[in-house]
């Protein structure tokens, strides 16, 4: 379908379905410089051995249809064009796609849950999912990822005029998993989109959520929680592309890190194009460093091409536990370990509480407690 070159000085300069339009990354490119390419098992080269198995289990709301379709289905690949080599490889390598449809004006009475479980990390697997929320419909879709896998996928969300979609994606892989994913939402007029990315497990996880607006009135909120252990690389790269007037976006990602060589990467790109007057946007990333030996790379980027904005800002902060907070708690008879737990719970809990599905919310709370237990035991 050809290469689309975007005339903006951003990290997202190309878009194409053709793998050959993207050079093999070397790690010197801005968009790849934080990613440990040697640990991607050749996903970035296109030479990863095929044959990996990632199984899908679906629990659909009564009002929602979930189908397995072939590559020729007209509904897939319309909202998102791959923006890097791994994404293009995933597009060209999947065999069956999953299409989730929420009919016009339907209000789903329960979350629709797609559970993916990897069974072998020695070979690569690829996936594609399209979620279509028709005008004035409302739904919640949950993705869970567990087991061992080398997995690349594209997920596209088409949110119709006046529709509402809440998405929760839980990356709770085994320690040997590699997961590279793009999650792209395209919003219609007055559409609302809320996403939660929770990354806990895996060896290397790189998630790239993005939002594009097709008409005025779109509203997107992107939240993320991650807890990085020793040796883990958890990376989140966001793009919010304001190309039409009077749309809103909010981004808030928070993470905690502990133990040697725990590495968190957060890249937040927001573009306000010349025609996007009245945009209201703000993005925030915060990281709590619990031990020595960790590394945080946090890069907010805000590109404004018009002076007519309602609001635009960004912030990033990474630091250790606040000594004054710990002293205050310990002065009241609370042990150091419990004081540490209370601070981390409060820091991450503000976003965990926003997760509207109780099953996932409880799972994330339990996982955070397990992480804190491991830290206390060392």
């Amino acid at each position: 379908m050809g290469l689309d070159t975007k005339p903006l000085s951003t990290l997202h300069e190309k878009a194409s379905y053709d793998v050959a339009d993207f050079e093999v990354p070397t790690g010197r490119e801005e968009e790849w410089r934080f990613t440990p390419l040697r640990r991607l098992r050749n996903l970035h080269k296109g030479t990863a051995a095929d044959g990996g198995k990632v199984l899908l289990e679906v629990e659909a709301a009564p009002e929602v249809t979930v189908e397995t379709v072939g590559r020729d289905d007209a509904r897939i690949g319309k909202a998102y064009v791959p923006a890097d080599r791994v994404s293009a490889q995933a597009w060209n390598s999947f065999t069956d796609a999953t299409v989730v449809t929420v009919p016009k004006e339907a209000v789903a009475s329960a979350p629709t849950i797609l559970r993916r479980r990897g069974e072998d990390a020695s070979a690569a697997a690829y996936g594609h999912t399209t979620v279509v929320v028709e005008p004035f419909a409302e739904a919640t879709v949950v993705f869970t990822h567990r087991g061992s896998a080398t997995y690349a996928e594209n997920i596209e969300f088409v949110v119709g005029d006046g529709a509402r979609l809440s998405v929760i994606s839980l990356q709770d892989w085994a320690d040997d998993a590699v997961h590279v994913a793009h999650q792209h939402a395209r919003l219609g007029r007055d559409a609302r989109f809320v996403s939660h990315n929770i990354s806990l497990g895996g060896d290397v996880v790189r998630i790239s959520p993005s939002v594009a607006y097709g008409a005025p009135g779109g509203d997107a909120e992107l939240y993320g929680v991650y807890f990085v252990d020793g040796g883990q690389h958890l990376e989140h790269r966001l793009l919010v592309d304001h190309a039409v007037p009077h749309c809103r976006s909010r981004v808030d990602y928070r993470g905690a890190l502990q133990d040697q060589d725990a590495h968190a990467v957060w890249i937040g790109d927001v573009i306000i194009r010349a025609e996007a007057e009245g945009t209201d946007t703000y993005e925030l990333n915060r990281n709590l460093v619990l031990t020595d030996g960790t590394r945080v790379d946090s890069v907010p980027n805000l590109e404004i091409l018009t002076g007519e904005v309602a609001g635009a800002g960004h912030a990033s902060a990474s630091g250790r536990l606040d000594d004054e907070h710990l002293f205050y708690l310990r002065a009241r008879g609370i042990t150091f370990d419990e004081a540490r737990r209370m601070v981390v719970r409060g820091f991450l809990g503000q976003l965990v509480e926003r997760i509207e599905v109780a099953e996932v919310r409880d799972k994330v709370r339990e996982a955070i407690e397990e992480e804190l237990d491991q830290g206390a035991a060392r």
Side-chain angles (χ1 to χ4, degrees):
M1 297 184 185
L3 178 67
D4 177 17
T5 302
K6 303 175 184 179
L8 293 171
S9 58
T10 71
L11 303 183
H12 309 265
E13 297 177 347
K14 295 180 180 179
S16 175
Y17 295 97
D18 190 347
V19 177
D21 285 332
F22 302 96
E23 296 181 358
V24 175
T26 65
R28 292 186 294 271
E29 303 84 359
E30 180 64 29
E31 62 268 37
W32 290 102
R33 68 186 178 101
F34 295 118
T35 307
L37 296 178
R38 67 186 183 281
R39 292 163 60 184
L40 289 185
R41 301 185 186 135
N42 295 321
L43 281 178
H44 63 298
K45 295 181 180 179
T47 59
D50 292 333
K53 183 178 290 187
V54 176
L55 304 180
L56 173 64
E57 177 186 333
V58 176
E59 181 181 332
E63 302 81 4
V64 175
T65 301
V66 180
E67 306 166 76
T68 300
V69 302
R71 297 184 56 89
D72 58 347
D73 192 284
R75 292 169 293 182
I76 65 175
K78 299 300 183 183
Y80 174 67
V81 181
D84 65 32
R85 187 177 177 91
V86 178
S87 181
Q89 184 69 50
W91 166 259
N92 284 277
S93 300
F94 77 87
T95 53
D96 297 324
T98 302
V99 176
V100 180
T101 305
V102 187
K104 183 178 180 180
E105 299 181 355
V107 178
S109 57
T112 292
I113 304 174
L114 285 73
R115 299 183 178 94
R116 295 196 182 275
R117 187 180 77 254
E119 296 197 329
D120 182 7
S122 65
Y126 303 92
H128 191 98
T129 304
T130 297
V131 179
V132 179
V133 185
E134 296 182 350
F136 306 105
E138 298 183 17
T140 297
V141 179
V142 179
F143 298 87
T144 67
H145 304 85
R146 293 187 173 90
S148 297
T150 300
Y151 187 54
E153 66 174 340
N154 295 312
I155 304 176
E156 51 185 346
F157 306 104
V158 182
V159 188
D161 293 351
R164 303 289 184 268
L165 174 62
S166 178
V167 173
I168 303 166
S169 182
L170 174 62
Q171 287 72 241
D172 193 22
W173 295 104
D175 292 342
D176 62 350
V178 172
H179 183 201
V180 182
H182 278 71
Q183 306 169 352
H184 181 71
R186 183 168 182 82
L187 309 188
R189 182 178 297 274
D190 298 326
R192 177 169 169 77
F193 175 73
V194 179
S195 80
H196 298 266
N197 263 294
I198 304 102
S199 296
L200 303 170
D203 178 46
V204 177
V205 174
R206 174 175 155 136
I207 308 295
S208 300
S210 57
V211 176
Y213 300 85
D219 189 339
E221 296 183 1
L222 309 180
Y223 300 109
V225 172
Y226 46 94
F227 205 122
V228 194
D229 280 325
Q232 271 190 306
H233 177 96
L234 302 184
E235 181 170 349
H236 300 88
R237 307 183 68 93
L238 289 79
L239 169 65
V240 181
D241 188 351
H242 286 275
V244 297
H246 305 297
C247 292
R248 175 182 177 273
S249 65
R250 291 291 185 272
V251 174
D252 192 344
Y253 270 59
R254 302 185 190 187
L257 301 88
Q258 64 184 7
D259 296 334
Q260 189 68 33
D261 295 326
H263 188 192
V265 177
W266 179 86
I267 309 295
D269 292 342
V270 176
I271 304 169
I272 305 176
R273 298 176 185 259
E275 57 270 32
E277 299 91 348
T279 292
D280 182 8
T281 181
Y282 193 85
E283 60 173 345
L284 172 66
N285 177 232
R286 293 177 178 172
N287 296 282
L288 192 57
V289 177
L290 303 179
T291 68
D292 293 334
T294 66
R295 174 181 170 182
V296 177
D297 291 293
S298 179
V299 185
N301 299 301
L302 180 58
E303 186 170 6
I304 306 174
L305 303 178
T306 177
E308 301 297 326
V309 297
H314 60 138
S316 170
S318 301
R320 296 181 175 275
L321 291 167
D322 191 306
D323 290 337
E324 290 187 5
H325 289 171
L326 295 176
F327 177 80
Y328 177 87
L329 294 170
R330 298 190 69 187
R332 281 148 182 81
I334 299 172
T335 65
F336 174 81
D337 179 59
E338 186 57 30
R340 176 177 176 269
R341 289 171 179 269
M342 292 175 68
V343 172
V344 175
R345 288 184 196 126
F347 175 70
L348 299 178
Q350 295 178 35
L351 295 187
V352 174
E353 290 301 318
R354 290 180 174 269
I355 300 172
E356 62 186 68
V357 178
E359 175 187 344
V360 180
R361 188 170 62 244
D362 292 343
K363 167 61 182 174
V364 175
R365 286 175 180 154
E366 292 171 4
I368 291 172
E369 292 299 321
E370 291 174 4
E371 297 280 7
L372 292 171
D373 287 342
Q374 294 173 15
R378 294 185 180 97

